């Protein structure tokens, strides 16, 4: 069975970055896991799980922190009609459950 | 020289270690700064101009900070008073401050800095093309601006320094950027400008940049070369990783921070451990903007809400709950029109299935079923009376509506009575813009009061 990203990484969190953005931080924990994740995790896979065009993702690979950051404009502005997650904090779970290929 | 900024906690109302606060006071802070707000809990607080945190908790914590301030004779600053930083919430903090001053027999010089904006001024900025949209661009119009119940501008370090320069013992700031209060004094003292902003970003959530966030207290020391950040509680530690990782927190771009007057670039910063509790940071840079801008936040009403919650354990209904909700919704829309003459454009009605996909909606990937589900109904309409009446109409059907015409009438579980809950007015954020101003105090106001 393929490994889940959340099982491999030290910590994955998501949060609002102001009312119009959500940002997801993937802390891999060390260089080895960082190198594995950076290679295996592609933008298409993340975009598909968020149901967004890959071009709308802003990705920052940060080897010095063994971290990958993904930011995207909120599909629904924080707290507006239809928003399900005021703090955007549960998006991390979708990323944790991605299978590494 | 060095300027020491004591940050007791990420926000007033969240709690901090009193022991750590006492310990930090021994380290000769030059100023105590705490945040009082954020947009993070949603638009209702700005829309209504009310607090997210308990008044009693805020008062108890503010009292400790007023005592700390008095003991050293240094200034105390709270920015983004009362969650949203509206004028009403600056006055709310002023009232709390007056009460405590009376209780403690203190007589501080209190300066209030107001940052609320009239819609007409924002409209004028739109007309004169001094209002610029940020990414992502959101639509703006005269109607949207006029519909805002509150608009605030985020103060920068300059406005807070103006207040401090009035000889303030205590400064109560309306909405400000998270960093502005922390870097105001260091920059005025001639410390490294980029280091002051960078350190302010690291320290703005208190001990979130340490290994023990709930301890609250950190000390930011800015000098002419860089800054150090120190965890204060005995069981809290700062590491280069815990400190540098905080640049990522609630920040879409981990290297940059756009502030009134310029932009911080921290991409080339170096983080070095001094000891287990202290990290030294140098190497960030600051680019002064050609125009001075302040960011605006606005909230406007989007009607009134009423909710209902039904709990379903009947396995037949749990298994078919999506189909049931779809059928119930179609029936209610039809009947509201037919029997009450309430057209679909007068309300929105939404059901979320807790135990299935209430959190993620269409993004949910798990399909295996739970043993029970909650069905949360949300109606939004133009008045509370209409929203309530629509939900009262829906109530018996949420309780009893059958999955198909051929089966007996079910009854689900309502967890409380009345089943429907009036949620009051609902709001949305509606500005993602900066406004160009000629000089920093142009759209901010100061008021002084000796208690």
């Amino acid at each position: 069975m393929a490994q889940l990203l959340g099982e491999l990484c030290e910590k994955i969190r998501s949060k609002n970055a102001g009312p119009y953005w959500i940002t997801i931080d993937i802390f891999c924990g060390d260089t080895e896991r960082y190198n594995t994740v950076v290679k295996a995790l592609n933008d298409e896979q993340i975009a598909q799980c968020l149901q967004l065009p890959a071009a709308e993702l802003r990705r920052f690979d940060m080897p010095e922190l063994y971290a990958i950051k993904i930011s995207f404009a909120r599909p629904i502005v924080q707290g507006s009609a239809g928003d399900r997650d005021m703090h955007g904090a549960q998006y991390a779970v979708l990323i944790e459950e991605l299978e590494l290929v | 020289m060095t300027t020491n900024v004591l940050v007791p906690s990420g926000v007033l109302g969240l709690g901090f270690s009193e022991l750590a606060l006492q310990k930090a006071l021994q380290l000769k802070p030059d100023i105590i700064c705490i945040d009082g707000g954020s947009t993070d809990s949603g638009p209702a607080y700005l829309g209504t101009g009310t607090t997210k945190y308990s008044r009693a908790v805020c008062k108890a914590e503010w009292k400790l900070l007023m005592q700390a301030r008095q003991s050293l004779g240094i200034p105390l600053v709270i920015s983004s008073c009362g969650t949203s930083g509206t004028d009403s919430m600056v006055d709310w903090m002023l009232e709390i401050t007056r009460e405590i001053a009376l209780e403690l027999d203190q007589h501080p010089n209190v300066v209030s800095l107001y940052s609320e904006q009239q819609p007409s001024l924002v409209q004028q900025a739109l007309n004169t093309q001094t209002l610029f949209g940020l990414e992502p661009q959101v639509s703006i119009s005269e109607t949207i601006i006029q519909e805002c119940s509150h608009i605030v501008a985020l103060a920068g370090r300059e406005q807070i320094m103006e207040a401090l320069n009035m000889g303030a013992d205590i400064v109560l700031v309306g909405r400000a950027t998270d960093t502005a209060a922390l870097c105001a004094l260091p920059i005025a003292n001639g410390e490294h400008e980029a280091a002051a902003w960078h350190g302010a970003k690291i320290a703005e959530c208190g001990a979130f940049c340490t290994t023990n966030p709930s301890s609250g207290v950190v000390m930011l020391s800015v000098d002419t070369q860089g800054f150090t950040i120190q965890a204060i509680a005995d069981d809290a530690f700062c590491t280069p990783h815990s400190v540098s990782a905080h640049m990522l927190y609630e920040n879409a771009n981990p290297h940059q921070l756009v502030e009134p007057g310029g932009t911080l670039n921290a991409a080339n910063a170096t983080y070095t451990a001094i000891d287990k509790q202290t990290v030294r940071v140098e190497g960030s840079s600051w680019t002064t903007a050609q125009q001075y801008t302040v960011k605006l936040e606005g909230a406007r009403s989007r009607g009134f809400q009423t909710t209902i919650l039904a709990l379903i354990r009947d396995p037949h209904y749990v298994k078919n709950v999506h189909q049931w909700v779809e059928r119930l919704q179609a029936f209610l829309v039809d009947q509201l029109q037919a029997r009450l003459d309430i057209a679909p454009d007068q309300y929105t009605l939404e059901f979320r299935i807790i135990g299935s996909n209430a959190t993620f909606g269409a993004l949910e990937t798990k399909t295996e079923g739970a043993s029970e589900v909650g069905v949360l109904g949300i109606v939004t309409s133009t008045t509370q009376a209409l929203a309530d009446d629509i939900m009262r109409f829906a109530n018996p059907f949420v309780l009893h509506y059958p999955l198909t015409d051929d089966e007996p009438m079910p009854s689900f579980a309502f967890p409380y009575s009345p089943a429907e809950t009036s949620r009051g007015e609902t709001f949305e954020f509606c500005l993602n813009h900066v406004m160009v101003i000629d000089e920093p105090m142009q759209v901010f106001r100061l008021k002084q009061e000796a208690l």
Side-chain angles (χ1 to χ4, degrees), chain B residues 17 64 95 114 228 262 368:
Chain B
S17 158
L64 290 171
E95 187 184 76
Y114 295 96
T228 58
E368 67 266 37

Side-chain angles (χ1 to χ4, degrees), chain B residues 173-435:
Chain B
V173 184
R175 189 71 171 121
T177 71
D178 292 344
T179 41
L182 281 66
C183 69
L185 186 63
I187 294 175
N189 282 349
E191 315 297 2
H192 194 279
E193 188 168 16
W197 282 109
H198 189 184
K201 166 61 190 167
I202 297 301
E204 56 105 359
C205 284
F208 265 60
C209 63
T210 76
T211 56
N212 182 2
S214 65
S215 61
V217 189
V218 292
M219 184 76 86
L220 167 68
S221 304
V222 189
D223 55 49
T224 55
Q225 303 295 316
F227 72 90
T228 58
I229 181 86
Q230 184 181 358
I232 301 297
D234 290 341
D235 56 354
F237 304 100
C238 275
T239 67
H241 188 274
S242 75
V243 171
S244 57
H246 197 70
M247 269 307 285
L248 275 65
Y249 190 65
E250 293 180 339
N251 196 8
N253 182 324
H255 305 302
Q256 275 191 356
L257 207 59
V258 181
E259 294 282 350
T263 300
L264 169 74
N265 188 330
N268 296 321
T270 58
Y271 299 79
T272 313
I274 302 291
D275 57 41
K276 280 186 176 175
Q277 291 196 299
T278 316
V279 169
R280 172 76 183 168
V281 185
E282 294 183 6
S284 42
S285 61
W286 174 260
T287 309
T288 302
Q290 292 183 338
Q291 292 179 306
Y292 190 88
T293 59
V294 286
K295 192 178 173 195
L296 300 178
E297 290 166 356
R300 64 171 176 156
S301 175
R302 300 308 284 158
F304 295 79
Q305 274 184 352
T306 308
T307 59
I308 196 164
L309 178 65
L311 304 177
I312 302 179
R313 180 62 180 78
D314 179 332
H316 175 56
Y317 279 83
V318 170
K319 191 176 165 210
N320 297 293
V321 68
H322 285 272
Q323 201 183 326
W324 178 72
V325 162
E326 210 170 293
R327 183 173 136 92
L328 172 66
Q329 172 124 15
F331 170 80
L332 289 172
V333 170
D334 178 68
Q335 292 296 299
L336 281 163
Q337 178 79 72
R339 292 171 60 185
L340 302 184
D341 200 26
I342 298 173
D345 63 2
Q346 289 178 266
Y347 65 93
T348 62
L349 173 65
E350 184 191 5
F351 288 101
R352 297 187 190 173
I353 304 167
I354 299 164
S356 174
N357 66 346
T359 313
F360 291 139
L363 301 184
E364 183 53 72
T365 55
K366 304 277 184 199
T367 49
E368 67 266 37
S371 61
E372 67 172 6
V373 293
V375 174
L376 173 67
I378 307 171
V379 68
T380 310
S381 191
T382 47
T383 65
Q384 189 67 61
L386 188 53
D388 286 349
D389 217 42
I390 290 170
M391 200 53 99
R392 285 192 190 112
F393 176 81
N395 177 322
F397 302 103
V398 175
L399 184 63
H400 292 304
Y401 196 61
L403 182 61
T404 65
D405 291 339
D406 308 327
E407 52 197 285
M409 186 184 81
S411 293
F412 305 118
F414 279 165
Y416 39 68
S417 168
E420 63 283 350
T421 305
S422 303
R423 289 214 340 100
E425 199 166 14
T426 185
F427 294 86
E428 71 175 17
F429 286 118
C430 55
L431 288 170
N432 190 29
H433 292 74
V434 292
M435 184 165 66

Side-chain angles (χ1 to χ4, degrees), chain A residues 15 21 51 69 71 78 84, chain B residues 40 135 248 250-252 358 362:
Chain A
K15 195 78 202 286
W21 289 86
Q51 297 183 14
K69 189 177 189 61
S71 300
Q78 181 200 7
R84 293 165 178 272
Chain B
D40 209 34
E135 287 294 320
L248 275 65
E250 293 180 339
N251 196 8

